[in-house]
Amino acid sequence: MKNEPSYDPRSLVEEIGRLKRQKKAVILAHYYTRPEVQDIADFTGDSLALSQKAAQTDASIILFAGVHFMAETAKILSPDKKVLLPDPQAGCSLADSCEAQAFERFLKDYPDHLVVAYVNTSVGVKALTDVCCTSSNAVDIVRRIPRDRKIVFAPDRNLGNYIKSVTGREDMVVWNGACHVHEEFSVEKILALKKSYPNAPVLAHPECKKSVLLTADYIGSTAALLKYASTSPADTFIVVTESGILHQLKRENPTKQFIPAPPIDSTCGCNDCQYMKLVTLEKIYRALRDEEPEVVLDETLRRRAERSIRNMLDGTFI
Ligand code: 13P
Ligand code: SF4
């Protein structure tokens, strides 16, 4: 990285706003990013809402404040736009747990199966997929697939097993991948929190392990957990997902209390995705100024991957 002066946060926010207007750029941020990043975004959402937004925007530049597979998804849907990812190291342990060549070999054993994959995958895996899903729509998508169609689900074993339990599709073949953040929550520590806050519902993301999900009063995607907290009469909640969601929870419910569930081994008491936290205001400013790092995709692969995301967005996979 070039030698750069350090900027004070207020002038960074002003400069980001100026560059955004000048370059007709839109900033999309996931709920797991840093609070100050969510605050300057034009749109903050979960994976499904962000992919819908990326498909619709008329901006010339999409700056994705999130991780690599999200920016890649935006580029797949909007190939004529410049898509910027402020830190190219912002990966995803779940996407990395399903490498495209290994997945292609795996699928050879299931030639007659419909392939459903979480958007938390690389463009190479999406190119091998019939229909993508997110944690918001995965159960609905699997429910819509006729019972006589066999299914492979990738890459998250926890979400896959949760879908099996809700839909009764016990024969669904599930790839053995996981997200390091959601795998790490401690059942014992959640049970201890339940004792301290007996009236607080436990809200959990379906990427968590089954033993953790069994402690939950409500299981849902990031957007579903936000909706539940806003509409529930409870005033205190135990939150079992990535800590970035707390910012939006507090913004939408300033009088309610949210207790983050801790991971098995933590001194900070919260559970951060270190990839999401790589996105800072300073990196956003530099990315907009220099128009890089840019997401560039092979066009043949992009076209093959686009079908699986369009099938999810249009509901046209059956
Ligand atoms: P959702 O945005 O679908 O809740 O997914 C959570 C996640 O882990 C994103 O990386
Ligand atoms: Fe990937 Fe997990 Fe981070 Fe989401 S929270 S980006 S699934 S590593």
Side-chain angles (χ1 to χ4, degrees):
M1 198 190 300
K2 293 175 237 165
N3 270 343
E4 293 269 1
S6 54
Y7 302 90
D8 80 79
R10 227 186 37 220
S11 61
L12 266 182
V13 171
E14 279 166 18
E15 278 302 294
I16 289 169
R18 187 184 64 75
L19 286 168
K20 222 173 56 176
R21 286 188 295 278
Q22 182 195 327
K23 302 192 177 202
K24 292 194 173 49
V26 67
I27 299 181
L28 307 182
H30 192 272
Y31 288 127
Y32 293 169
T33 52
R34 295 166 183 267
E36 65 274 20
V37 168
Q38 296 186 43
D39 287 345
I40 55 108
D42 296 291
F43 182 79
T44 311
D46 72 346
S47 303
L48 179 62
L50 289 169
S51 43
Q52 287 164 337
K53 208 75 187 168
Q56 288 158 3
T57 180
D58 54 6
S60 312
I61 295 178
I62 300 174
L63 184 138
F64 221 107
V67 294
H68 191 264
F69 76 83
M70 295 178 173
E72 216 171 53
T73 303
K75 185 68 182 177
I76 292 168
L77 290 166
S78 297
D80 300 334
K81 298 188 194 307
K82 192 173 262 187
V83 177
L84 303 173
L85 180 66
D87 190 324
Q89 301 304 318
C92 167
S93 57
L94 177 54
D96 288 350
S97 69
C98 186
E99 194 273 319
Q101 282 182 358
F103 191 52
E104 190 168 20
R105 283 195 300 276
F106 175 81
L107 290 179
K108 289 208 163 75
D109 289 338
Y110 307 101
D112 54 350
H113 285 50
L114 192 83
V115 181
V116 181
Y118 206 22
V119 282
N120 301 40
T121 45
S122 66
V123 63
V125 170
K126 288 187 177 80
L128 298 165
T129 294
D130 294 301
V131 57
C132 278
C133 68
T134 76
S135 54
S136 283
N137 58 18
V139 168
D140 288 345
I141 285 178
V142 170
R143 277 206 175 114
R144 286 188 50 207
I145 299 169
R147 293 206 76 99
D148 58 352
R149 281 304 302 269
K150 294 181 193 153
I151 304 171
V152 165
F153 182 86
D156 189 62
R157 60 175 174 247
N158 295 321
L159 179 63
N161 290 332
Y162 170 71
I163 297 168
K164 275 187 181 188
S165 71
V166 177
T167 61
R169 300 292 294 252
E170 285 304 326
D171 58 341
M172 194 168 85
V173 177
V174 177
W175 177 268
N176 191 23
C179 152
H180 73 297
V181 178
H182 288 91
E183 277 264 298
E184 281 301 304
F185 287 107
S186 152
V187 176
E188 290 72 24
K189 290 181 184 175
I190 295 169
L191 293 177
L193 281 177
K194 270 170 95 99
K195 265 198 181 147
S196 309
Y197 302 93
N199 298 321
V202 174
L203 313 183
H205 195 282
E207 285 175 24
C208 297
K209 286 179 295 198
K210 185 174 179 187
S211 54
V212 165
L213 294 181
L214 288 172
T215 70
D217 297 287
Y218 181 74
I219 298 166
S221 67
T222 312
L225 298 184
L226 283 161
K227 188 167 173 208
Y228 184 92
S230 294
T231 50
S232 162
D235 60 5
T236 305
F237 301 83
I238 297 165
V239 183
V240 196
T241 188
E242 208 275 348
S243 64
I245 193 178
L246 295 169
H247 181 60
Q248 188 69 13
L249 282 167
K250 288 180 197 152
R251 198 148 76 172
E252 289 179 12
N253 308 279
T255 61
K256 296 184 179 179
Q257 194 187 2
F258 299 98
I259 318 288
I264 294 163
D265 178 20
S266 165
T267 43
C268 76
C270 58
N271 218 340
D272 287 339
C273 172
Q274 77 264 32
Y275 302 115
M276 290 280 187
K277 301 309 188 239
L278 284 175
V279 184
T280 61
L281 288 183
E282 208 153 316
K283 288 177 196 168
I284 291 174
Y285 163 69
R286 286 200 206 109
L288 276 178
R289 183 193 64 189
D290 304 339
E291 298 189 22
E292 59 177 31
E294 186 185 352
V295 176
V296 180
L297 298 176
D298 171 78
E299 181 54 16
T300 312
L301 199 58
R302 187 201 69 76
R303 277 176 195 270
R304 279 168 46 208
E306 183 178 11
R307 187 183 59 100
S308 61
I309 308 174
R310 296 270 173 218
N311 281 344
M312 169 181 83
L313 295 176
D314 306 341
T316 49
F317 57 96
I318 290 296

